[in-house]
Amino acid sequence: MAEGVPPMDEKAKRTRDLLASFYSPDASAALGVGGGAGVSPRRIASPDSINSPFFDPEVYMSILVQKLNMEGLLQKHVEMAAEIKNLDTDLQMLVYENYNKFINATETIKSVLNTSILVTGRMKNNIVGMETNMEQLLVKITSVQSKSDLVNTSLFEKREHIEKLHRTRNLLRKVQLIYDLPTRLAKCIKVEAYADAVRYFIGAKPIFEAYGDSSFQDCKRASEEAIDLVIKNLQAKIYLDSEPIEARAEAVVLLKQLNFPVELVPVNVRVIGSDTVVGLVMQHQNQTGEVHRNLDEIDEVKVDNLKTKLLEKLEDYLLKFQDEYKETGVSACNATESSDIGQLPDTVSVGDISKIIRAYLIIFPDSEKRLIELVQKLFNRRYGIIQQRIKERVTPADLLNMMRAIWEDVNVMDEILAEAALPAFSLEAARSIVQQYISTSFSYLLDEITDALGKSQQTQKEVVEECPYQNTLEGSKKTIIQGSLDLLLDFRQLLDDNLELLAKLTDLIVDWVQEGFQGFFEKLNEQFLVLCGRGYIANPDSCQVDAVQMDKVQAGLVLVLAQLSVFIEQSAIPTITEEIAASFSGGGTRAYEHGPPFVPGEICRIFHSAGERFLLLYINMRTQKISVLLKKRFITPNWMKHKEPREVHMFVDLLLQELEAVGMEVKQILPQGLVRRHRHSDSLGSTTSSRSNPTREDKLTRTNTQRARSQFLESHLAKLFEQKMEIFTKVQHTQESVLSTIIKFCLKSLQEFVRLQTFNRSGFQQIHLDAEYLKNTLKEFVDDEAAIDFLLKEVVGAAHERCLDPIPLEAPILDRLISIKLSKSKEQSQTSP
Amino acid sequence: MRGPSTGIVYGGLKYQARCITDVKADVDHTSFLAGTLSLKEENEVHLIRLSPSGSELICDGLFYHPNEIWDLKSCPFDPRIFSTVFTSGETYGASVWKIPELYGQSNAPQPEQLVSLDEHSFKIKSNMLVSVLWWPSGKHDRLISIDEGNIFLWSLDSSNKVAKVISQESVGMLQNLSGGAWDPHDRNALAGICDSSLQFWDLRTMKKTTSIEQAHIRDVDYNPKKQHFLVTAEDVSGIQLWDLRRPKFPVKELPGHAHWTWAVRHNPEYEDLILSAGTDSTINLWSIRLPGNEGSSSESLFDSPTTLKDSLINSYTDYEDSVYGLAWSTREPLIFASLSYDGRVIVESVKSFIKRK
């Protein structure tokens, strides 16, 4: 029953399906699809399914009848009738709708057809109009063409004619020019406008070459004559020295344009150079000719040849100029007329050269590079000359003059040849020159000082002067301080000068000067070392010579050096430092990490230690000499078999002589110390406590056996209480200090020599006697009596210890012998002077 | 420079003395031999031993020596053998002695004289014997004696108490020998101090090989570690270091002493250390740097700030008289003994000047 009443939406769907199947172009397919889908429903529900395509009304009816009662059937009938009615209306609706659509479509098609018919009709009308227009156009064009052809042909003849006329006119003008050429040339010659003349001639040349033999024979001859005249005139001009160099150069150019033969080169050269060069030039040309013959295959060989040769000549000329300059420079130097140095070559030659170079630049514009080289070479040489000159001693004024002269020339040249960068070049050169100047100045000063020191050695050998060392010392002092100050003045002059070139170098000069002083003093120190024969410490290579020298070195010289070192440390350096600070401060273009170039403190330190060293060396040299003397004295005799002392031994005299010599030297060179008895009180105390005379005498009276042991203990004891005698104190730069140091050294050595020997009684007595004598005489040299007493006592003590039988001389005998000796020496000293 | 006195003093020597030597062959103790120089009394040789604690000097033996001792050397291979050079008045002598067995008793009256080395050398009286040399580097049965004019090479047989002169060379009339040293690197090389030079001999040929022209040399010592290097001490010029391959000029110069530099000694172990004794009553300790040593470890051996500028490390000034005797200990190389003329032996250690390694 449920199937019998399908829902409403199912109804609409069915209607659409039906309609679709109706309109479907392929009913079978639609049916197939519908049949495929409804296979199983047919089997199951086909009997009562109205919508199925396989619906069988008979079966359906029978089923309905069987299934339903009357009421049901009636109801079914009503349902079906309603359904059928619905379907009918649906169908009608559909058909109607479709029909409407169809009518619309047909109407549209109809209207389209109408429009198209309209359009085609109009088009047809248009095309027909155009065709006629075209035909008209063609006709017109053909007519235009024909007319233009007509015009063309009619104009052709006239144009040809005009062209012909034009050519004729040109020709006529040229002919006129050529006919006029001789007169024009003559006119040019008259006003000496050779350049124009040459230009005209060269312009006319092709025509002469073409027609010269026929139509224009006369003209050609006339103009050639004229141009010959021109050439002649040009040559004359070149020869004329009065002509300005530019004019001459121009003439050369013109001649070259006229293909003037190469043979004229020497003439050119001769013109440019001076007459004196001719021989050289000819010779040189032969050489260069050979060289350049190789170039013959190359084009424009003539021009090249000409050029190179000219340049060679220029070079020659410059060389010549150099020589002249050198001569004049040297002569000026000899004459010490500083004004001549710069001016002479300046006026004579540099102007010339600049003119020549200008001319060359005009002739051969491409030769600039070569010229730059030449000019640079020239100035190089000139700076070289200055460098040569300053190897000798030159005053700063001279140097400045030379520099100024060159600087002026540089400026002249710079105008012509800016590319040569001459100012920069000069700056470089000036830099090295000034540096060299400063360093040579210092080395000269060094030499002077060395000379001053060395002179003494020689003069002393020849003439015995009153006080040679004093002179040497004073001389050297003066040389050092005066020389240094003069140098500073000189350098100051360099700085103060307003020469542009040097102004740029101010800072560098300041540095160099400071450096120079530093180096100078360092070298001076080395020089001192070499002078005293200790130089091999500084330069081990040349030590052999120095070592040999050392034996010859005079002790006095060493003392002079010591004192000189002190002088440098104490007064020269401060003065120079002040001077430098006053006028050479600043500088410092160099990095300051190295510190300022001049370090007075360092120099002072160097010379301070040098001074001490030299002083010690002097003392060593002197004591060594005395040491040898003493050694001989003690080694030669057999002390065990010594005889009774009769007099003071002569070695004492020798010793005193040596000391006198030392005293002489010392007095000349060293200052007198303060008269103070340094250490006197100290040593006095020590000596009295250690070995005072009473103890000694006591001791000597004891018996032999006891003596040695007790003496030893005694001296031990004494030494325990003794305040240690400081014999070896620091040496000072005074007469007294040096002399007393030497004496102390000698006495100490004497003691040591004594200790190495063994004496018999007489030997001991001899030593005792000598010591006693020395005690008296040495006091004349030094006032440090205590030290001398002490040391002499040590000597006697040593002899006593080394004596097998130490019995001293009896006091009266001792006194007598000493007084004899004293009077004898007094006599000698009275008679000898 | 003047450090506080740290030395251990031995006051046992009753007389003046010049000679002290290290007993090299004594491996158990640090000991020294010192001999006195007394013209009139009986001289003594003291065997001085440093106590194990290192704080005391003990007399380990006292032997009478008939004459005053000018030179004393200990045998490098037998601690009981030593040699002396002595004088009595005009006569000179040299002997090799043997310390007798002590059997608990410390004073033996006299050492046993093994050999007398004077059979040839003292025929000419004026020839003063100056030195007896043992080869320093070990057992060698040769001895050298030097007198003023001659060098003798002896063959020593200590067990049989025989010594024979093997060869002899005279220096010449104009030269006087005053000392010498035997090259520890070459048992055939000998250096002898002459008046104006240092002469070298080859002991095989007894011919001079080379020389250093330097006057007034007092002492010479070979560098025990570096061959060809030696040091000399001069009266005036101080101390000079030499390279024998370049004998013309010293390698280095040290200022030496205020007066004469009497003795100079290389440390047996540290080649940079040199000790010098002077007649100015001081002992100076130097640090030297030989060429070729730069950059090596020895450079940083010393911590004294002054070594770069000045090679003087320390100056020992605690002496009353000239110091003539000087000896490093071989057993403890940082210890040295010094002997001043007044007979005081002072043993010092240089340890404080050496950087701890």
Side-chain angles (χ1 to χ4, degrees):
Chain A
M1 275 303 237
E3 291 97 346
V5 191
M8 278 309 289
D9 55 334
E10 217 169 85
K11 194 183 103 190
K13 193 186 167 219
R14 199 181 59 207
T15 317
R16 217 168 11 247
D17 285 347
L18 283 173
L19 275 170
S21 62
F22 178 78
Y23 283 108
S24 168
D26 188 1
S28 66
L31 280 175
V33 170
V39 172
S40 50
R42 190 186 55 172
R43 298 251 179 254
I44 306 155
S46 56
D48 56 344
S49 171
I50 241 170
N51 290 331
S52 147
F54 308 100
F55 175 67
D56 189 352
E58 296 297 322
V59 178
Y60 184 71
M61 265 319 285
S62 65
I63 291 168
L64 271 181
V65 172
Q66 280 168 6
K67 263 166 107 178
L68 297 170
N69 54 9
M70 190 58 196
E71 226 172 327
L73 278 174
L74 271 175
Q75 201 179 339
K76 192 76 182 175
H77 168 72
V78 175
E79 274 176 24
M80 276 188 133
E83 222 172 297
I84 287 162
K85 228 180 197 171
N86 273 345
L87 280 170
D88 270 347
T89 51
D90 281 356
L91 213 65
Q92 275 173 1
M93 281 288 286
L94 269 170
V95 170
Y96 183 72
E97 272 176 28
N98 284 344
Y99 186 69
N100 262 356
K101 278 176 190 169
F102 177 71
I103 286 168
N104 280 345
T106 357
E107 273 176 4
T108 318
I109 289 162
K110 246 183 205 164
S111 72
V112 165
L113 264 175
N114 284 343
T115 349
S116 69
I117 286 161
L118 257 167
V119 166
T120 39
R122 213 179 282 166
M123 265 170 72
K124 224 177 195 172
N125 286 345
N126 285 351
I127 286 165
V128 172
M130 210 161 73
E131 248 167 29
T132 54
N133 280 349
M134 283 303 278
E135 271 161 21
Q136 280 174 4
L137 187 68
L138 191 68
V139 173
K140 274 174 189 166
I141 284 170
T142 348
S143 76
V144 165
Q145 200 174 8
S146 62
K147 272 174 189 164
S148 86
D149 280 351
L150 212 80
V151 170
N152 230 4
T153 43
S154 64
L155 280 177
F156 183 70
E157 279 177 34
K158 280 179 185 169
R159 203 169 58 211
E160 286 247 297
H161 189 64
I162 287 167
E163 274 174 13
K164 211 172 175 183
L165 281 175
H166 186 70
R167 272 202 297 269
T168 321
R169 189 171 150 267
N170 271 359
L171 205 66
L172 280 171
R173 200 186 274 166
K174 278 186 193 168
V175 169
Q176 175 69 35
L177 190 126
I178 286 161
Y179 274 115
D180 283 353
L181 189 61
T183 45
R184 258 196 221 200
L185 289 179
K187 218 186 268 171
C188 286
I189 290 164
K190 205 175 272 172
V191 296
E192 293 192 346
Y194 297 114
D196 289 342
V198 170
R199 194 156 44 83
Y200 292 143
F201 181 72
I202 285 169
K205 223 173 179 181
I207 294 167
F208 284 135
E209 272 165 19
Y211 309 104
D213 298 335
S214 53
S215 343
F216 303 111
Q217 223 167 357
D218 291 344
C219 275
K220 190 193 175 192
R221 203 173 45 245
S223 42
E224 272 176 355
E225 275 166 15
I227 215 74
D228 280 346
L229 194 64
V230 167
I231 290 173
K232 236 174 253 165
N233 285 353
L234 283 176
Q235 279 180 318
K237 205 174 177 182
I238 292 168
Y239 278 112
L240 265 179
D241 284 348
S242 59
E243 288 291 325
I245 197 78
E246 286 92 344
R248 288 205 242 166
E250 195 192 358
V252 174
V253 174
L254 293 177
L255 284 173
K256 203 184 86 186
Q257 280 177 352
L258 288 171
N259 280 345
F260 200 71
V262 175
E263 282 75 33
L264 280 172
V265 167
V267 179
N268 278 334
V269 171
R270 211 180 118 202
V271 167
I272 291 165
S274 62
D275 289 342
T276 48
V277 197
V278 171
L280 187 80
V281 161
M282 294 305 283
Q283 190 192 351
H284 197 86
Q285 200 208 347
N286 289 338
Q287 294 165 355
T288 49
E290 275 175 16
V291 171
H292 288 290
R293 221 158 280 156
N294 300 333
L295 297 169
D296 277 348
E297 284 117 26
I298 306 165
D299 279 347
E300 297 171 7
V301 96
K302 282 184 176 178
V303 180
D304 273 1
N305 245 350
L306 184 70
K307 197 168 92 183
T308 44
K309 281 181 184 175
L310 286 176
L311 285 169
E312 297 277 355
K313 297 309 162 255
L314 180 62
E315 214 168 313
D316 269 355
Y317 182 56
L318 289 181
L319 273 171
K320 181 77 184 169
F321 166 70
Q322 275 314 312
D323 293 341
E324 279 169 15
Y325 184 83
K326 211 179 275 181
E327 279 161 25
T328 53
V330 169
S331 66
C333 178
N334 291 342
T336 60
E337 288 170 18
S338 52
S339 58
D340 283 357
I341 294 169
Q343 285 170 6
L344 191 67
D346 186 16
T347 49
V348 174
S349 309
V350 171
D352 270 3
I353 287 186
S354 72
K355 278 178 197 162
I356 292 165
I357 286 175
R358 191 170 294 162
Y360 269 70
L361 274 176
I362 296 163
I363 303 168
F364 309 113
D366 56 334
S367 63
E368 201 171 56
K369 202 176 145 199
R370 187 80 189 271
L371 284 173
I372 288 171
E373 271 172 28
L374 279 177
V375 170
Q376 282 184 341
K377 210 186 263 175
L378 167 73
F379 280 97
N380 222 348
R381 273 163 198 259
R382 291 190 64 181
Y383 285 120
I385 289 169
I386 295 189
Q387 280 182 331
Q388 287 285 325
R389 294 271 311 274
I390 59 173
K391 275 180 190 160
E392 297 145 35
R393 247 198 144 148
V394 182
T395 65
D398 281 353
L399 179 70
L400 281 172
N401 272 323
M402 290 191 284
M403 300 280 278
R404 192 173 288 126
I406 289 192
W407 182 242
E408 277 161 13
D409 292 354
V410 162
N411 281 334
V412 171
M413 281 294 178
D414 193 39
E415 280 169 24
I416 305 161
L417 269 178
E419 289 86 348
L422 284 175
F425 178 74
S426 306
L427 192 66
E428 201 57 40
R431 211 180 120 125
S432 64
I433 284 173
V434 173
Q435 195 168 12
Q436 200 191 329
Y437 176 69
I438 290 173
S439 65
T440 42
S441 303
F442 277 116
S443 64
Y444 269 108
L445 183 58
L446 193 65
D447 287 351
E448 260 176 42
I449 293 165
T450 316
D451 281 353
L453 287 170
K455 220 189 288 166
S456 74
Q457 272 180 304
Q458 282 163 13
T459 51
Q460 209 202 15
K461 277 171 198 163
E462 289 156 13
V463 195
V464 181
E465 289 174 42
E466 188 70 14
C467 29
Y469 289 119
Q470 192 173 11
N471 293 342
T472 312
L473 179 65
E474 290 309 318
S476 314
K477 270 184 186 175
K478 217 168 129 190
T479 317
I480 287 175
I481 196 82
Q482 202 52 50
S484 307
L485 291 181
D486 284 352
L487 276 189
L488 278 171
L489 265 181
D490 288 358
F491 298 145
R492 184 76 234 162
Q493 223 172 321
L494 283 185
L495 276 186
D496 289 344
D497 197 83
N498 53 3
L499 187 57
E500 192 188 340
L501 197 58
L502 294 180
K504 291 172 188 164
L505 297 173
T506 310
D507 278 355
L508 280 175
I509 290 176
V510 168
D511 270 0
W512 286 332
V513 169
Q514 294 200 5
E515 257 175 26
F517 269 107
Q518 181 84 12
F520 164 68
F521 282 115
E522 278 165 12
K523 270 191 196 141
L524 191 63
N525 186 38
E526 280 171 27
Q527 189 67 37
F528 282 3
L529 283 175
V530 170
L531 275 176
C532 71
R534 291 254 147 184
Y536 64 85
I537 297 163
N539 47 338
D541 300 331
S542 61
C543 38
Q544 190 156 11
V545 186
D546 294 330
V548 172
Q549 215 179 17
M550 187 168 173
D551 302 333
K552 296 176 188 164
V553 172
Q554 292 177 352
L557 185 66
V558 176
L559 197 58
V560 169
L561 289 177
Q563 201 49 30
L564 210 52
S565 298
V566 172
F567 169 74
I568 289 171
E569 182 212 342
Q570 287 176 352
S571 59
I573 295 284
T575 317
I576 289 164
T577 311
E578 255 174 53
E579 206 60 37
I580 283 180
S583 43
F584 289 92
S585 55
T589 45
R590 212 147 309 189
Y592 260 99
E593 58 212 48
H594 306 300
F598 180 59
V599 193
E602 192 189 323
I603 302 288
C604 279
R605 217 188 54 239
I606 289 173
F607 278 96
H608 183 77
S609 63
E612 284 179 1
R613 241 175 107 183
F614 287 133
L615 200 61
L616 278 180
L617 185 64
Y618 173 75
I619 291 170
N620 277 350
M621 286 169 96
R622 280 298 171 189
T623 45
Q624 200 153 23
K625 214 168 165 189
I626 296 171
S627 230
V628 173
L629 187 92
L630 295 177
K631 194 175 179 184
K632 273 189 192 137
R633 159 69 181 145
F634 280 94
I635 282 178
T636 341
N638 185 344
W639 288 98
M640 294 298 289
K641 292 181 176 165
H642 204 275
K643 286 180 185 135
E644 284 255 323
R646 293 175 184 277
E647 54 175 5
V648 175
H649 193 269
M650 61 173 286
F651 96 91
V652 175
D653 291 332
L654 292 173
L655 177 66
L656 290 175
Q657 259 176 31
E658 282 294 325
L659 288 176
E660 253 166 52
V662 172
M664 283 291 286
E665 281 174 3
V666 163
K667 256 175 215 145
Q668 282 177 43
I669 297 158
L670 293 177
Q672 211 155 9
L674 297 171
V675 185
R676 68 192 168 95
R677 314 207 153 191
H678 58 284
R679 300 189 189 284
H680 189 253
S681 51
D682 287 3
S683 41
L684 196 69
S686 71
T687 42
T688 44
S689 70
S690 70
R691 286 164 197 202
S692 52
N693 273 333
T695 338
R696 177 64 55 97
E697 274 158 24
D698 272 357
K699 189 170 63 193
L700 295 178
T701 53
R702 285 181 194 163
T703 55
N704 267 0
T705 42
Q706 275 182 330
R707 197 160 50 212
R709 176 62 63 96
S710 64
Q711 176 206 345
F712 189 68
L713 284 175
E714 230 168 72
S715 61
H716 248 293
L717 267 174
K719 277 184 180 172
L720 279 179
F721 295 109
E722 179 184 3
Q723 188 184 355
K724 202 169 172 184
M725 176 82 188
E726 287 194 37
I727 310 161
F728 306 107
T729 51
K730 196 169 164 54
V731 191
Q732 285 153 335
H733 286 263
T734 58
Q735 297 174 12
E736 290 78 8
S737 174
V738 170
L739 202 54
S740 73
T741 308
I742 289 175
I743 290 172
K744 284 177 196 169
F745 262 95
C746 293
L747 294 180
K748 179 71 185 170
S749 302
L750 190 62
Q751 180 196 359
E752 293 295 336
F753 279 123
V754 167
R755 280 182 177 179
L756 286 172
Q757 301 298 331
T758 312
F759 303 93
N760 64 1
R761 184 199 296 173
S762 306
F764 165 66
Q765 287 175 345
Q766 180 70 58
I767 298 295
H768 189 197
L769 174 62
D770 295 346
E772 285 297 320
Y773 179 69
L774 275 175
K775 195 189 269 181
N776 287 317
T777 45
L778 284 181
K779 276 170 194 164
E780 290 167 19
F781 290 99
V782 194
D783 51 36
D784 192 2
E785 286 174 37
I788 290 170
D789 283 354
F790 171 74
L791 282 166
L792 282 172
K793 264 173 204 155
E794 288 276 322
V795 171
V796 176
H800 188 265
E801 283 158 10
R802 297 298 311 158
C803 180
L804 290 164
D805 184 21
I807 296 167
L809 274 176
E810 286 167 40
I813 303 171
L814 193 71
D815 288 344
R816 196 164 51 84
L817 286 173
I818 288 171
S819 59
I820 289 169
K821 178 73 184 171
L822 275 174
S823 60
K824 207 190 252 176
S825 65
K826 218 175 258 171
E827 269 172 41
Q828 265 180 353
S829 63
Q830 275 166 0
T831 50
S832 60
Chain B
M1 277 292 119
R2 303 188 167 202
S5 163
T6 54
I8 308 154
V9 181
Y10 173 80
L13 298 186
K14 280 176 278 187
Y15 312 110
Q16 285 162 338
R18 282 178 181 265
C19 314
I20 188 160
T21 181
D22 164 49
V23 183
K24 206 182 222 178
D26 187 352
V27 289
D28 303 322
H29 309 277
T30 303
S31 41
F32 301 95
L33 277 172
T36 61
L37 188 77
S38 173
L39 202 54
K40 295 145 219 165
E41 306 299 315
E42 193 164 27
N43 283 284
E44 298 161 349
V45 173
H46 287 238
L47 178 61
I48 303 161
R49 192 161 284 172
L50 187 67
S51 69
S53 62
S55 58
E56 243 186 309
L57 284 173
I58 303 156
C59 178
D60 210 29
L62 181 102
F63 318 103
Y64 291 109
H65 188 274
N67 297 301
E68 54 174 358
I69 301 164
W70 286 89
D71 181 61
L72 175 68
K73 295 275 160 66
S74 171
C75 171
F77 51 87
D78 189 338
R80 289 171 55 216
I81 295 177
F82 65 91
S83 65
T84 56
V85 172
F86 50 85
T87 63
S88 87
E90 284 176 89
T91 53
Y92 293 83
S95 287
V96 177
W97 308 85
K98 185 165 187 176
I99 300 170
E101 293 292 341
L102 289 175
Y103 305 117
Q105 150 198 26
S106 73
N107 284 12
Q110 197 165 335
E112 181 187 358
Q113 183 172 14
L114 287 180
V115 164
S116 171
L117 298 174
D118 48 8
E119 47 183 297
H120 293 269
S121 48
F122 308 110
K123 284 172 187 164
I124 308 157
K125 282 275 188 260
S126 68
N127 274 4
M128 170 177 153
L129 200 93
V130 287
S131 187
V132 169
L133 300 174
W134 299 81
W135 191 53
S137 297
K139 196 167 167 83
H140 188 47
D141 58 352
R142 302 287 151 91
L143 263 180
I144 291 171
S145 71
I146 298 173
D147 68 23
E148 273 185 323
N150 305 285
I151 298 166
F152 299 92
L153 182 64
W154 301 79
S155 155
L156 176 74
D157 186 346
S158 54
S159 48
N160 292 327
K161 304 182 185 177
V162 180
K164 270 188 284 183
V165 172
I166 297 171
S167 50
Q168 147 176 21
E169 170 67 19
S170 175
V171 248
M173 290 303 285
L174 296 171
Q175 293 281 8
N176 281 321
L177 277 168
S178 59
W182 201 338
D183 190 344
H185 303 281
D186 179 0
R187 55 172 72 173
N188 293 315
L190 174 78
I193 303 164
C194 295
D195 281 348
S196 61
S197 65
L198 189 63
Q199 292 285 350
F200 295 88
W201 281 272
D202 185 331
L203 294 175
R204 288 165 294 195
T205 59
M206 276 295 183
K207 292 278 176 271
K208 283 179 196 173
T209 52
T210 177
S211 69
I212 289 173
E213 296 299 325
Q214 178 76 23
H216 314 295
I217 294 179
R218 282 274 159 209
D219 196 14
V220 59
D221 191 36
Y222 278 96
N223 188 325
K225 292 282 164 190
K226 277 189 111 154
Q227 201 175 357
H228 306 300
F229 284 94
L230 50 79
V231 62
T232 59
E234 287 95 39
D235 280 2
V236 183
S237 329
I239 299 162
Q240 293 185 322
L241 291 140
W242 303 86
D243 182 347
L244 287 182
R245 293 159 298 187
R246 249 184 82 229
K248 293 232 150 122
F249 307 101
V251 176
K252 198 179 164 76
E253 282 179 293
L254 302 171
H257 288 258
H259 196 236
W260 299 349
T261 309
W262 190 271
V264 63
R265 289 285 177 271
H266 279 286
N267 186 288
E269 200 55 46
Y270 303 95
E271 59 182 18
D272 323 49
L273 282 181
I274 282 182
L275 209 55
S276 65
T279 49
D280 58 348
S281 313
T282 54
I283 283 184
N284 287 342
L285 179 66
W286 309 88
S287 144
I288 50 152
R289 228 157 285 131
L290 292 175
N293 258 10
E294 275 92 348
S296 72
S297 58
S298 58
E299 178 116 10
S300 54
L301 196 59
F302 308 101
D303 57 0
S304 166
T306 52
T307 44
L308 282 177
K309 192 172 151 271
D310 189 359
S311 36
L312 180 66
I313 302 176
N314 192 32
S315 201
Y316 300 91
T317 55
D318 199 22
Y319 299 91
E320 304 294 343
D321 209 330
S322 304
V323 186
Y324 302 115
L326 188 62
W328 288 99
S329 162
T330 316
R331 192 170 162 267
E332 287 180 77
L334 294 180
I335 282 177
F336 71 88
S338 55
L339 177 61
S340 55
Y341 193 56
D342 54 9
R344 281 211 305 169
V345 175
I346 299 182
V347 171
E348 299 257 12
S349 166
V350 299
K351 252 177 212 143
S352 56
F353 303 106
I354 308 270
K355 257 187 195 167
R356 269 169 287 284
K357 292 194 177 172

